[in-house]
């Protein structure tokens, strides 16, 4: 009998689960289909090269994952346990809005989180910011009653805890009664937080993401950045931690079938390097792949197919990032921010303010490097790279006019259908604990008692899955941390709405 645990998938979820189990002495082998770069959406890639003024520069590349927020407690704990990585605090986040040719900018991050008005009313802090008065009109105050209803919905209903996905209700419902100006701005927040175009965002996911990132506590928005690209800061140190504890990370291995055995599981996997199918035995399996891959694997396996047919799997989306190099650099500003209104890209990061290879280029040449993210709608998602490159360069100059006539080079990175279109997990979703003995699941779309999203959800479900394996072996579990409690006014409002909902549901039940 094999005592090993097989982890299928080498994104942050799989690596986190493997690191936690390996550190408790569990024999772990992690299979990842990528032959070269472990890390899934956090993986690195071949470096980008730029020839400028007779010199050749190399820059590490990646999908574009940079940020960690205040509520990322399990992800931060994972970094602290297994890596030397120290996050760099964000010194502010710009919110740049464009209506036609009119561009307005505001440093919104500090303005919202660090002022006097507590959550959930802290967005009123923006009214203390002189620049907001050029971005809103008196008409926007007509939104106030609807805005209060939307805030109350966000504070009073917890779709993740209640397992309510509200399929069929889009983000648009949230903005009933809002003026177009405020609506467009907050829609941009939803697009950014869920990394999806507006039409792919469902109301329950929007409410849940607002609760986690901003509505219940001011410090939930506290942002920090990786000190270097994702491969250097997170993936390579996690792989080192796994192997240092005797675990094995096997690249280029795609799991194709799971079969139950008398004492565990047998996993068939295609070994890309050898061109053969291998059969591996395991006492337990942790599934840590993106939704389409999980669906394909579970449906293709006779022992899991009947159960998989009863499950709902979220969709996955394409995203695109464009990196631009300029001969000039803006004088000052934040490390990154959000683009809303008529802007085609959705957010931006100044790479020379984040990572050492870009900083070295900036210091030597006075140039800059900007990364723009696109979460494109269905109408543009399959347009060629040239479309994204042209949009990125023209929009960059609209947002930062000082870059005019200084464009040097651009690189487009298409992230194939791997980004989760987040759907609140319901009873018919895949959860960390599956009904099949010895099979656990984790990832940023997997169900568990956590309000978290993205890297934090991946890490939280991974630690929970690792704990399931550890418990079965009589080993000590790790703490699974919950975000800090909402601020007092948010708690009071939630309690009040809770009472109202109970009275209303009794009344309706009669
Ligand atoms: C452009 C972009 C920017 C983002 N920015 C942020 C950010 O700033 N902060 C944040 O918190 N989140 C961010 N995210 C989201 C974040 O990247 C994800 O939530 C997180 O990386 C998900 O990790 P995961 O392990 O669940 O899935 P993945 O990273 O998708 O990993 C799945 C892994 O499974 C492997 N796999 C699939 N099928 C098989 C198979 N059959 N056999 C073996 N292996 C298989 C894949 O190769 C992959 O390595 C961003 C996402 C994108 C696309």
């Amino acid at each position: 009998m094999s005592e090993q645990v097989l982890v299928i998938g080498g994104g942050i979820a799989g690596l986190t689960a493997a690191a936690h189990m390996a550190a408790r002495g569990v024999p772990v082998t992690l299979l990842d289909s990528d032959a070269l770069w472990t890390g899934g959406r956090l993986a690195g890639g071949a470096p980008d090269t730029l020839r400028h003024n007779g010199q050749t520069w190399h820059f590490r590349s990646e999908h574009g994952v940079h940020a960690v927020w205040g509520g990322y407690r399990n992800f931060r704990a994972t970094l602290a346990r297994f890596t030397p990585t120290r996050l760099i605090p964000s010194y502010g986040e710009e919110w740049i809005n464009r209506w036609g040719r009119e561009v307005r900018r505001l440093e919104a991050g500090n303005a919202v989180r660090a002022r006097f008005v507590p959550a959930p009313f802290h967005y009123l802090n923006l009214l203390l910011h002189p620049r907001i008065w050029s971005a809103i009109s008196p008409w926007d105050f007509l939104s106030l009653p609807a805005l209060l209803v939307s805030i109350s919905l966000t504070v009073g209903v917890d779709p993740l805890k209640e397992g309510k996905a509200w399929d069929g209700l889009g983000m648009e419902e949230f903005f009933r009664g809002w003026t177009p100006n405020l609506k467009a701005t907050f829609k941009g927040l939803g697009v950014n937080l869920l990394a999806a175009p507006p039409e792919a965002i469902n109301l329950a996911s929007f409410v849940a993401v607002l609760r986690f990132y901003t509505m219940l506590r001011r410090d939930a928005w506290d942002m920090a950045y990786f000190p270097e690209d994702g491969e250097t800061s997170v993936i390579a140190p996690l792989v080192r931690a796994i192997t240092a504890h005797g675990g094995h990370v096997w690249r280029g291995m795609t799991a194709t079938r799971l079969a139950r055995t008398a004492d565990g599981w047998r996993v068939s996997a295609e070994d890309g390097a050898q061109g053969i199918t291998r059969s591996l035995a395991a006492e337990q399996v942790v599934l840590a792949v993106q939704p389409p891959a999980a669906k394909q694997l579970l449906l293709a396996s006779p022992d899991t197919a009947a159960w998989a047919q009863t499950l709902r799997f979220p969709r996955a989306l394409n995203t695109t990032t464009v990196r631009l190099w300029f001969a000039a650099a803006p004088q000052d500003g934040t490390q990154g921010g959000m683009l809303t209104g008529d802007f085609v890209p959705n957010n931006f990061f100044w790479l020379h303010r984040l990572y050492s290879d870009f900083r070295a280029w900036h210091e030597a040449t006075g140039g800059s490097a900007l990364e723009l993210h696109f979460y494109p709608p269905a109408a543009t998602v399959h347009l060629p790279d040239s479309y994204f490159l042209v949009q990125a360069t023209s929009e960059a100059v609209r947002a930062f006019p000082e870059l005019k006539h200084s464009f040097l080079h651009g690189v487009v990175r298409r992230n194939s259908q791997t980004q989760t279109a987040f759907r609140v997990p319901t009873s018919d979703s895949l959860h960390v604990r599956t009904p099949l003995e010895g099979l656990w699941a984790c990832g940023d779309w997997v169900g568990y008692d956590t309000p978290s999203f993205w890297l934090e959800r991946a890490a939280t479900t991974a630690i929970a899955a690792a704990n399931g394996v550890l418990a079965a072996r009589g080993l000590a579990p790790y703490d699974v941390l919950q975000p800090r409690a909402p601020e007092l006014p948010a708690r009071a409002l939630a309690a009040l709405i809770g009472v109202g909902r109970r009275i209303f549901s009794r009344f309706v039940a009669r």
Side-chain angles (χ1 to χ4, degrees):
M1 171 183 158
S2 170
E3 286 190 350
Q4 81 171 329
V5 178
L6 282 176
V7 176
I8 303 174
I12 194 66
L15 290 167
T16 301
H20 282 87
M21 290 186 285
R24 289 276 194 265
V26 175
V28 176
T29 297
L30 180 147
L31 311 177
D32 189 47
S33 33
D34 197 303
L36 298 175
W37 299 94
T38 318
R41 278 165 270 171
L42 254 184
D48 295 321
T49 303
L50 169 66
R51 229 176 127 68
H52 179 55
N53 286 345
Q55 207 181 332
T56 304
W57 297 85
H58 299 285
F59 302 92
R60 291 186 290 265
S61 75
E62 58 188 326
H63 290 272
V65 182
H66 309 294
V68 166
W69 276 263
Y72 282 34
R73 300 187 74 200
N74 294 298
F75 182 73
R76 286 170 191 260
T78 301
L79 289 185
R81 270 180 209 127
F82 300 113
T83 78
T85 297
R86 296 289 165 264
L87 298 168
I88 310 290
S90 163
Y91 46 79
E93 300 87 51
E94 265 175 300
W95 193 332
I96 310 182
N97 190 68
R98 175 166 82 78
W99 290 129
R101 285 160 175 256
E102 200 177 297
V103 174
R104 308 254 186 218
R105 52 192 342 115
L106 174 72
E107 191 292 296
N110 290 317
V112 166
R113 68 179 158 242
R115 297 286 184 100
F116 321 103
V117 185
F121 306 111
H122 49 310
Y123 277 79
L124 294 175
N125 282 316
L126 287 175
L127 296 177
L128 303 176
H129 203 299
R131 289 219 179 159
I132 194 76
W133 294 101
S134 61
I136 60 172
S137 73
W139 288 110
D140 288 323
F141 283 90
L142 293 178
S143 292
L144 211 57
L147 207 127
L148 285 175
V149 172
S150 303
I151 290 179
S152 305
L153 168 72
T154 313
V155 172
V157 182
D158 184 348
L160 280 164
K161 194 100 189 158
E162 298 179 27
K164 295 208 164 98
W166 298 334
D167 294 313
L169 288 182
M171 175 171 70
E172 201 59 38
E173 304 293 331
F174 188 85
F175 299 109
R176 281 180 184 275
W178 287 48
T179 52
N181 190 30
L182 282 189
K183 191 199 298 200
T185 314
F186 274 80
K187 236 188 204 177
L189 184 62
V191 167
N192 271 281
L193 290 177
L194 286 158
E199 76 265 14
I201 299 179
N202 133 306
L203 178 63
S205 306
F206 184 54
V207 168
V209 90
L210 285 179
R211 288 175 63 88
F212 180 62
Y213 283 101
T214 182
M215 210 44 100
L216 303 183
R217 293 183 64 91
R218 278 166 293 176
D219 60 10
W221 191 265
D222 264 351
M223 258 178 89
Y225 291 102
F226 297 141
E228 295 292 347
D229 61 293
E231 159 71 16
T232 310
S233 304
V234 184
I235 301 304
L238 277 181
V239 170
R240 277 198 295 274
I242 294 166
T243 47
H245 287 107
H248 179 40
V249 174
W250 202 344
R251 297 189 178 93
M253 288 285 282
T254 301
T256 52
R257 190 177 274 232
L258 304 175
R260 294 200 80 162
T261 60
D263 43 23
W265 290 87
R266 185 155 285 282
V267 176
S268 305
E270 277 166 17
D271 180 339
Q274 303 296 323
I276 54 170
T277 301
R278 294 181 185 272
S279 175
L280 307 163
E283 196 175 301
Q284 281 118 340
V285 170
V286 176
L287 190 57
V289 301
Q290 61 273 26
K295 185 175 181 180
Q296 190 180 339
L297 178 58
L298 294 175
L299 285 175
S301 307
D303 290 348
T304 56
W307 163 61
Q309 267 158 9
T310 67
L311 295 178
R312 295 180 71 124
F313 294 87
R315 287 190 304 133
L317 302 167
N318 299 70
T319 61
T320 299
T321 55
V322 179
R323 286 186 163 183
L324 303 172
W325 283 259
F326 295 93
Q331 289 298 307
D332 48 26
T334 61
Q335 296 115 315
M338 204 163 77
L339 300 168
T340 60
D342 290 340
F343 275 117
V344 182
N346 303 103
N347 56 43
F348 66 93
F349 299 92
W350 287 108
L351 299 170
H352 64 283
R353 291 179 183 153
L354 289 174
Y355 301 144
S356 60
D357 42 354
F358 292 90
R359 198 174 302 124
W361 134 263
H362 166 70
E363 282 164 7
T365 67
S368 62
L370 183 67
E371 180 181 290
L372 293 157
H373 288 200
F374 294 77
Y375 308 125
T380 61
V381 73
H382 295 300
L383 290 180
D385 286 0
S386 52
Y387 163 81
F388 289 99
L389 199 53
V390 168
Q391 290 291 352
T393 39
S394 55
E395 293 285 56
V397 170
R398 283 191 184 114
F400 307 101
E402 57 271 52
L403 297 176
K404 214 170 183 175
H405 307 308
S406 67
F407 172 70
L408 291 175
H409 181 56
V411 172
V412 178
R413 182 155 186 174
R414 316 290 287 245
N415 297 314
S416 58
Q417 267 184 324
T418 52
Q419 174 64 358
T420 305
F422 191 83
R423 176 181 178 273
V424 168
T426 44
S427 54
D428 53 358
S429 301
L430 185 69
H431 288 255
V432 169
R433 174 185 287 277
T434 77
L436 304 178
E437 201 188 327
L439 180 65
W440 301 86
C442 54
D444 65 357
W445 56 283
V446 170
Y448 186 71
D449 180 16
T450 171
S452 59
F453 278 80
W454 306 127
L455 291 173
E456 176 63 6
R457 187 170 201 88
T460 305
T461 53
I463 297 172
N467 279 348
V469 170
L470 296 174
R473 292 168 183 238
L475 297 169
Y478 293 86
D479 287 341
V480 182
L481 305 171
Q482 291 288 339
R484 290 177 191 89
E487 289 188 54
L488 196 60
R491 254 182 289 163
L493 183 61
L496 198 68
I497 295 165
V499 171
R501 285 180 73 192
R502 274 195 295 281
I503 293 172
F504 181 73
S505 54
R506 263 190 219 155
F507 181 71
V508 169
R510 274 198 198 145

